[in-house]
Amino acid sequence: MKIIVCRDKAEMSAVAASMVEAQVKEKPDCVLGLATGSTPEGMYALLCEKYAAGALDFSKVKTFNLDEYYPIKKDNDQSYAYFMNKHLFSHINVPAENIHIPNGECADPAEEGPAYDALVAAAGGVDLQILGIGRNGHIAFNEPDEALIMGTHLTSLTESTIEANSRFFASSDDVPRHALTMGIGTIMTAKKIIMMANGADKKEALSYLFNDKLTAAVPASLLKLHPDVTVICDEAACPDSAR
Ligand code: GLP
């Protein structure tokens, strides 16, 4: 587990954007795994700037997002499809057919999950996966539970995640109770993973990447089994055990 401790969120965003830039330059037809949430917003803004400055070309890149609320319409301004369009896709030249996000409008979530994993596999797997972390240690929407699920699947959100994400909705009643999410197994097939975290409320969850425990109660702890994870965090989120 590598860790890069940054002064603040701006520096965290810049370091992460540079790693994505390096990946796209090294392999122009790479597969990027993308995350939503407030954490990666600054990184996306920097990637848009680099593209506008002519420094990056996304024309051969494929993308797979981690998760999406269910059910939700793509044009709902709280859907992750809307978020990605607003913060990244509408500003860069990634072809629409290369963009993949679990379909929050699908009729049968039981079919959507395996079909999504098959698309990831057919693309050759994710080269670089961006992850955030929930305050309770969730990754994508793999919530703390007795058992974690390998593949992309429909899941129920915990009360703590509904409460945390309600800041984006008119009220917590408006937060969808379910989501489609890549499973831990899907995430672990990525060749390289970047975990971004900022703010003191992420410190405890992040500490589980730097202790000796593997537990389904903190899904992010499973990332310790992956051979190439880089944590990029700010000072406030940096666990004492990682210093
Ligand atoms: C959401 C997403 C995660 C994200 C996390 C943290 O529920 N499903 O992919 O990493 O919560 O969000 P934020 O970056 O806003 O703190």
Side-chain angles (χ1 to χ4, degrees), residues 101-131:
I101 302 177
N103 183 3
E105 300 183 31
C106 70
D108 186 355
E111 273 179 22
E112 174 71 8
Y116 198 72
D117 287 338
L119 284 174
V120 173
V126 169
D127 290 296
L128 177 62
Q129 176 69 57
I130 306 294
L131 286 181

mmCIF file of all heavy atoms in Angstrom, residues 101-131:
data_model
loop_
_atom_site.group_PDB
_atom_site.id
_atom_site.type_symbol
_atom_site.label_atom_id
_atom_site.label_comp_id
_atom_site.label_asym_id
_atom_site.label_seq_id
_atom_site.Cartn_x
_atom_site.Cartn_y
_atom_site.Cartn_z
ATOM 1 N N ILE A 101 -21.849 3.140 -17.531
ATOM 2 C CA ILE A 101 -22.308 3.412 -16.160
ATOM 3 C C ILE A 101 -23.438 2.415 -15.897
ATOM 4 O O ILE A 101 -24.289 2.220 -16.777
ATOM 5 C CB ILE A 101 -22.854 4.863 -16.030
ATOM 6 C CG1 ILE A 101 -21.772 5.882 -16.423
ATOM 7 C CG2 ILE A 101 -23.356 5.130 -14.603
ATOM 8 C CD1 ILE A 101 -22.229 7.338 -16.404
ATOM 9 N N PRO A 102 -23.447 1.741 -14.741
ATOM 10 C CA PRO A 102 -24.572 0.838 -14.484
ATOM 11 C C PRO A 102 -25.896 1.569 -14.738
ATOM 12 O O PRO A 102 -26.049 2.740 -14.370
ATOM 13 C CB PRO A 102 -24.397 0.472 -13.005
ATOM 14 C CG PRO A 102 -22.928 0.615 -12.759
ATOM 15 C CD PRO A 102 -22.503 1.794 -13.611
ATOM 16 N N ASN A 103 -26.816 0.868 -15.391
ATOM 17 C CA ASN A 103 -28.035 1.508 -15.872
ATOM 18 C C ASN A 103 -29.114 1.577 -14.793
ATOM 19 O O ASN A 103 -29.790 0.589 -14.512
ATOM 20 C CB ASN A 103 -28.540 0.737 -17.102
ATOM 21 C CG ASN A 103 -29.771 1.371 -17.718
ATOM 22 O OD1 ASN A 103 -30.236 2.426 -17.269
ATOM 23 N ND2 ASN A 103 -30.304 0.728 -18.745
ATOM 24 N N GLY A 104 -29.287 2.755 -14.223
ATOM 25 C CA GLY A 104 -30.269 2.974 -13.168
ATOM 26 C C GLY A 104 -31.701 2.891 -13.655
ATOM 27 O O GLY A 104 -32.637 2.950 -12.870
ATOM 28 N N GLU A 105 -31.868 2.749 -14.994
ATOM 29 C CA GLU A 105 -33.207 2.639 -15.581
ATOM 30 C C GLU A 105 -33.483 1.214 -16.066
ATOM 31 O O GLU A 105 -34.508 0.977 -16.697
ATOM 32 C CB GLU A 105 -33.344 3.589 -16.769
ATOM 33 C CG GLU A 105 -33.141 5.046 -16.426
ATOM 34 C CD GLU A 105 -33.349 5.957 -17.630
ATOM 35 O OE1 GLU A 105 -34.162 5.627 -18.517
ATOM 36 O OE2 GLU A 105 -32.693 7.005 -17.682
ATOM 37 N N CYS A 106 -32.563 0.279 -15.784
ATOM 38 C CA CYS A 106 -32.749 -1.068 -16.345
ATOM 39 C C CYS A 106 -33.978 -1.736 -15.720
ATOM 40 O O CYS A 106 -34.347 -1.454 -14.581
ATOM 41 C CB CYS A 106 -31.504 -1.926 -16.132
ATOM 42 S SG CYS A 106 -31.229 -2.399 -14.423
ATOM 43 N N ALA A 107 -34.589 -2.650 -16.497
ATOM 44 C CA ALA A 107 -35.804 -3.323 -16.012
ATOM 45 C C ALA A 107 -35.447 -4.412 -15.008
ATOM 46 O O ALA A 107 -36.184 -4.651 -14.054
ATOM 47 C CB ALA A 107 -36.567 -3.918 -17.201
ATOM 48 N N ASP A 108 -34.296 -5.062 -15.223
ATOM 49 C CA ASP A 108 -33.958 -6.215 -14.384
ATOM 50 C C ASP A 108 -32.530 -6.101 -13.836
ATOM 51 O O ASP A 108 -31.572 -6.476 -14.516
ATOM 52 C CB ASP A 108 -34.111 -7.501 -15.214
ATOM 53 C CG ASP A 108 -33.904 -8.733 -14.347
ATOM 54 O OD1 ASP A 108 -33.561 -8.581 -13.147
ATOM 55 O OD2 ASP A 108 -34.079 -9.842 -14.874
ATOM 56 N N PRO A 109 -32.388 -5.588 -12.618
ATOM 57 C CA PRO A 109 -31.047 -5.415 -12.041
ATOM 58 C C PRO A 109 -30.279 -6.731 -11.938
ATOM 59 O O PRO A 109 -29.052 -6.740 -11.998
ATOM 60 C CB PRO A 109 -31.321 -4.857 -10.644
ATOM 61 C CG PRO A 109 -32.714 -4.399 -10.645
ATOM 62 C CD PRO A 109 -33.445 -5.151 -11.710
ATOM 63 N N ALA A 110 -31.004 -7.848 -11.827
ATOM 64 C CA ALA A 110 -30.331 -9.148 -11.711
ATOM 65 C C ALA A 110 -29.589 -9.491 -13.007
ATOM 66 O O ALA A 110 -28.609 -10.225 -13.000
ATOM 67 C CB ALA A 110 -31.337 -10.241 -11.373
ATOM 68 N N GLU A 111 -30.080 -8.943 -14.119
ATOM 69 C CA GLU A 111 -29.394 -9.163 -15.404
ATOM 70 C C GLU A 111 -28.327 -8.106 -15.632
ATOM 71 O O GLU A 111 -27.292 -8.367 -16.240
ATOM 72 C CB GLU A 111 -30.393 -9.063 -16.561
ATOM 73 C CG GLU A 111 -31.081 -10.353 -16.872
ATOM 74 C CD GLU A 111 -32.084 -10.201 -18.008
ATOM 75 O OE1 GLU A 111 -31.958 -9.241 -18.809
ATOM 76 O OE2 GLU A 111 -32.987 -11.039 -18.075
ATOM 77 N N GLU A 112 -28.583 -6.892 -15.174
ATOM 78 C CA GLU A 112 -27.669 -5.760 -15.415
ATOM 79 C C GLU A 112 -26.282 -6.027 -14.811
ATOM 80 O O GLU A 112 -25.266 -5.719 -15.431
ATOM 81 C CB GLU A 112 -28.279 -4.475 -14.822
ATOM 82 C CG GLU A 112 -27.388 -3.240 -14.861
ATOM 83 C CD GLU A 112 -27.174 -2.648 -16.252
ATOM 84 O OE1 GLU A 112 -27.833 -3.085 -17.203
ATOM 85 O OE2 GLU A 112 -26.312 -1.755 -16.366
ATOM 86 N N GLY A 113 -26.231 -6.597 -13.611
ATOM 87 C CA GLY A 113 -24.952 -6.805 -12.935
ATOM 88 C C GLY A 113 -23.992 -7.692 -13.726
ATOM 89 O O GLY A 113 -22.906 -7.244 -14.114
ATOM 90 N N PRO A 114 -24.390 -8.951 -13.999
ATOM 91 C CA PRO A 114 -23.492 -9.825 -14.769
ATOM 92 C C PRO A 114 -23.166 -9.255 -16.153
ATOM 93 O O PRO A 114 -22.054 -9.420 -16.645
ATOM 94 C CB PRO A 114 -24.293 -11.128 -14.876
ATOM 95 C CG PRO A 114 -25.232 -11.095 -13.713
ATOM 96 C CD PRO A 114 -25.574 -9.652 -13.485
ATOM 97 N N ALA A 115 -24.137 -8.582 -16.778
ATOM 98 C CA ALA A 115 -23.886 -8.001 -18.112
ATOM 99 C C ALA A 115 -22.811 -6.913 -18.009
ATOM 100 O O ALA A 115 -21.939 -6.798 -18.878
ATOM 101 C CB ALA A 115 -25.182 -7.425 -18.682
ATOM 102 N N TYR A 116 -22.844 -6.145 -16.924
ATOM 103 C CA TYR A 116 -21.853 -5.075 -16.730
ATOM 104 C C TYR A 116 -20.459 -5.673 -16.530
ATOM 105 O O TYR A 116 -19.483 -5.222 -17.135
ATOM 106 C CB TYR A 116 -22.254 -4.223 -15.524
ATOM 107 C CG TYR A 116 -21.582 -2.872 -15.477
ATOM 108 C CD1 TYR A 116 -21.931 -1.855 -16.366
ATOM 109 C CD2 TYR A 116 -20.605 -2.588 -14.521
ATOM 110 C CE1 TYR A 116 -21.320 -0.609 -16.313
ATOM 111 C CE2 TYR A 116 -19.992 -1.342 -14.459
ATOM 112 C CZ TYR A 116 -20.360 -0.347 -15.353
ATOM 113 O OH TYR A 116 -19.751 0.888 -15.308
ATOM 114 N N ASP A 117 -20.381 -6.723 -15.709
ATOM 115 C CA ASP A 117 -19.088 -7.387 -15.491
ATOM 116 C C ASP A 117 -18.542 -7.976 -16.789
ATOM 117 O O ASP A 117 -17.326 -7.960 -17.026
ATOM 118 C CB ASP A 117 -19.215 -8.478 -14.424
ATOM 119 C CG ASP A 117 -19.369 -7.889 -13.028
ATOM 120 O OD1 ASP A 117 -18.973 -6.731 -12.825
ATOM 121 O OD2 ASP A 117 -19.896 -8.595 -12.154
ATOM 122 N N ALA A 118 -19.441 -8.485 -17.629
ATOM 123 C CA ALA A 118 -19.009 -9.052 -18.916
ATOM 124 C C ALA A 118 -18.429 -7.949 -19.806
ATOM 125 O O ALA A 118 -17.446 -8.168 -20.518
ATOM 126 C CB ALA A 118 -20.185 -9.745 -19.608
ATOM 127 N N LEU A 119 -19.010 -6.751 -19.737
ATOM 128 C CA LEU A 119 -18.486 -5.621 -20.533
ATOM 129 C C LEU A 119 -17.098 -5.211 -20.047
ATOM 130 O O LEU A 119 -16.206 -4.909 -20.844
ATOM 131 C CB LEU A 119 -19.430 -4.413 -20.440
ATOM 132 C CG LEU A 119 -20.719 -4.454 -21.248
ATOM 133 C CD1 LEU A 119 -21.571 -3.243 -20.914
ATOM 134 C CD2 LEU A 119 -20.408 -4.490 -22.749
ATOM 135 N N VAL A 120 -16.926 -5.192 -18.722
ATOM 136 C CA VAL A 120 -15.604 -4.859 -18.150
ATOM 137 C C VAL A 120 -14.579 -5.879 -18.638
ATOM 138 O O VAL A 120 -13.491 -5.519 -19.113
ATOM 139 C CB VAL A 120 -15.649 -4.851 -16.597
ATOM 140 C CG1 VAL A 120 -14.244 -4.678 -16.023
ATOM 141 C CG2 VAL A 120 -16.575 -3.755 -16.080
ATOM 142 N N ALA A 121 -14.941 -7.162 -18.562
ATOM 143 C CA ALA A 121 -14.009 -8.221 -18.978
ATOM 144 C C ALA A 121 -13.708 -8.119 -20.474
ATOM 145 O O ALA A 121 -12.549 -8.245 -20.894
ATOM 146 C CB ALA A 121 -14.595 -9.586 -18.628
ATOM 147 N N ALA A 122 -14.744 -7.851 -21.284
ATOM 148 C CA ALA A 122 -14.552 -7.772 -22.745
ATOM 149 C C ALA A 122 -13.640 -6.607 -23.116
ATOM 150 O O ALA A 122 -12.943 -6.647 -24.130
ATOM 151 C CB ALA A 122 -15.903 -7.633 -23.436
ATOM 152 N N ALA A 123 -13.628 -5.565 -22.276
ATOM 153 C CA ALA A 123 -12.758 -4.407 -22.542
ATOM 154 C C ALA A 123 -11.316 -4.695 -22.105
ATOM 155 O O ALA A 123 -10.434 -3.856 -22.269
ATOM 156 C CB ALA A 123 -13.304 -3.170 -21.820
ATOM 157 N N GLY A 124 -11.089 -5.859 -21.529
ATOM 158 C CA GLY A 124 -9.739 -6.210 -21.083
ATOM 159 C C GLY A 124 -9.483 -5.871 -19.632
ATOM 160 O O GLY A 124 -8.347 -5.919 -19.164
ATOM 161 N N GLY A 125 -10.530 -5.492 -18.922
ATOM 162 C CA GLY A 125 -10.382 -5.139 -17.496
ATOM 163 C C GLY A 125 -9.979 -3.677 -17.337
ATOM 164 O O GLY A 125 -9.524 -3.039 -18.285
ATOM 165 N N VAL A 126 -10.159 -3.180 -16.126
ATOM 166 C CA VAL A 126 -9.844 -1.767 -15.830
ATOM 167 C C VAL A 126 -8.331 -1.627 -15.607
ATOM 168 O O VAL A 126 -7.740 -2.384 -14.852
ATOM 169 C CB VAL A 126 -10.637 -1.300 -14.583
ATOM 170 C CG1 VAL A 126 -10.140 0.048 -14.095
ATOM 171 C CG2 VAL A 126 -12.130 -1.260 -14.891
ATOM 172 N N ASP A 127 -7.723 -0.668 -16.297
ATOM 173 C CA ASP A 127 -6.279 -0.408 -16.099
ATOM 174 C C ASP A 127 -6.047 0.417 -14.842
ATOM 175 O O ASP A 127 -5.128 0.145 -14.075
ATOM 176 C CB ASP A 127 -5.712 0.347 -17.314
ATOM 177 C CG ASP A 127 -5.664 -0.532 -18.549
ATOM 178 O OD1 ASP A 127 -4.923 -1.529 -18.526
ATOM 179 O OD2 ASP A 127 -6.379 -0.232 -19.528
ATOM 180 N N LEU A 128 -6.855 1.453 -14.671
ATOM 181 C CA LEU A 128 -6.676 2.348 -13.511
ATOM 182 C C LEU A 128 -8.046 2.661 -12.924
ATOM 183 O O LEU A 128 -8.901 3.235 -13.607
ATOM 184 C CB LEU A 128 -5.985 3.647 -13.942
ATOM 185 C CG LEU A 128 -5.796 4.699 -12.847
ATOM 186 C CD1 LEU A 128 -4.902 4.169 -11.725
ATOM 187 C CD2 LEU A 128 -5.201 5.979 -13.431
ATOM 188 N N GLN A 129 -8.247 2.268 -11.683
ATOM 189 C CA GLN A 129 -9.529 2.477 -11.000
ATOM 190 C C GLN A 129 -9.397 3.598 -9.979
ATOM 191 O O GLN A 129 -8.535 3.547 -9.103
ATOM 192 C CB GLN A 129 -9.962 1.186 -10.285
ATOM 193 C CG GLN A 129 -11.220 1.322 -9.460
ATOM 194 C CD GLN A 129 -12.457 1.531 -10.324
ATOM 195 O OE1 GLN A 129 -12.748 0.710 -11.185
ATOM 196 N NE2 GLN A 129 -13.173 2.634 -10.122
ATOM 197 N N ILE A 130 -10.250 4.613 -10.092
ATOM 198 C CA ILE A 130 -10.324 5.676 -9.087
ATOM 199 C C ILE A 130 -11.381 5.276 -8.066
ATOM 200 O O ILE A 130 -12.492 4.894 -8.427
ATOM 201 C CB ILE A 130 -10.770 7.014 -9.722
ATOM 202 C CG1 ILE A 130 -9.878 7.395 -10.907
ATOM 203 C CG2 ILE A 130 -10.833 8.122 -8.681
ATOM 204 C CD1 ILE A 130 -8.464 7.712 -10.564
ATOM 205 N N LEU A 131 -11.054 5.399 -6.800
ATOM 206 C CA LEU A 131 -12.021 5.106 -5.730
ATOM 207 C C LEU A 131 -12.066 6.257 -4.734
ATOM 208 O O LEU A 131 -11.035 6.871 -4.442
ATOM 209 C CB LEU A 131 -11.591 3.874 -4.939
ATOM 210 C CG LEU A 131 -11.716 2.477 -5.525
ATOM 211 C CD1 LEU A 131 -11.227 1.469 -4.497
ATOM 212 C CD2 LEU A 131 -13.157 2.182 -5.915
#
